[in-house]
Amino acid sequence: MTPDGQPAIRVTAMPADTNANGDIFGGWLMSQMDMGAGLVAARLAHGRVATVAMDGMQFHQPVGVGDEVSVYCEVTKVGRSSITIATEAWRRHRFEEVQQKVTEAVFTFVAIDDAGRPRPVNQE
């Protein structure tokens, strides 16, 4: 199985992103997914967005130092001020071509104005 489309973000896992056992922190991976989905949401909303929810995640594969992590996003719902995005993280060992899905989650964002109040999503 391979992901569809182009990644919203691609990054290399580095030693500073590991726990004491040398494994990449789950929180680091979650933050990469939030950043990728946030980029997609901000582009769709034509402005600021804030993460308001994320469903639970299960980790299917470990991510190692030097692995390339790609975050793929698909907008699944647009409300008056909210955007729901299905998000997957995939890993690829730096010397291989095969990708493996690491985890997935659904992120919900709300479009906000400069004062941090919800505003309509400006779809054009």
Side-chain angles (χ1 to χ4, degrees):
M1 183 163 86
T2 60
D4 292 329
Q6 295 295 315
I9 193 170
R10 184 173 278 157
V11 66
T12 301
M14 300 299 285
D17 307 319
T18 63
N19 60 24
N21 297 317
D23 301 318
I24 297 299
F25 281 116
W28 176 84
L29 184 58
M30 186 171 71
S31 73
Q32 300 305 311
M33 294 171 73
D34 190 26
M35 281 190 276
L39 289 169
V40 171
R43 190 166 48 245
L44 179 63
H46 299 283
R48 289 179 62 187
V49 295
T51 308
V52 295
M54 183 207 64
D55 73 354
M57 350 170 78
Q58 292 183 329
F59 296 95
H60 309 297
Q61 299 285 330
V63 175
V65 171
D67 284 354
E68 176 186 274
V69 175
S70 299
V71 176
Y72 293 84
C73 302
E74 179 184 353
V75 175
T76 57
K77 182 180 176 188
V78 178
R80 190 186 78 75
S81 63
S82 65
I83 302 167
T84 303
I85 300 175
T87 307
E88 295 180 348
W90 290 69
R91 67 168 287 280
R92 183 186 65 78
H93 187 276
R94 67 185 314 150
F95 303 123
E96 299 174 2
E97 294 298 320
V98 177
Q99 292 189 80
Q100 297 174 314
K101 188 191 300 188
V102 176
T103 190
E104 57 194 301
V106 175
F107 287 80
T108 303
F109 295 86
V110 169
I112 57 174
D113 63 18
D114 289 338
R117 292 183 301 265
R119 64 168 177 83
V121 173
N122 295 326
Q123 286 188 281
E124 295 173 9

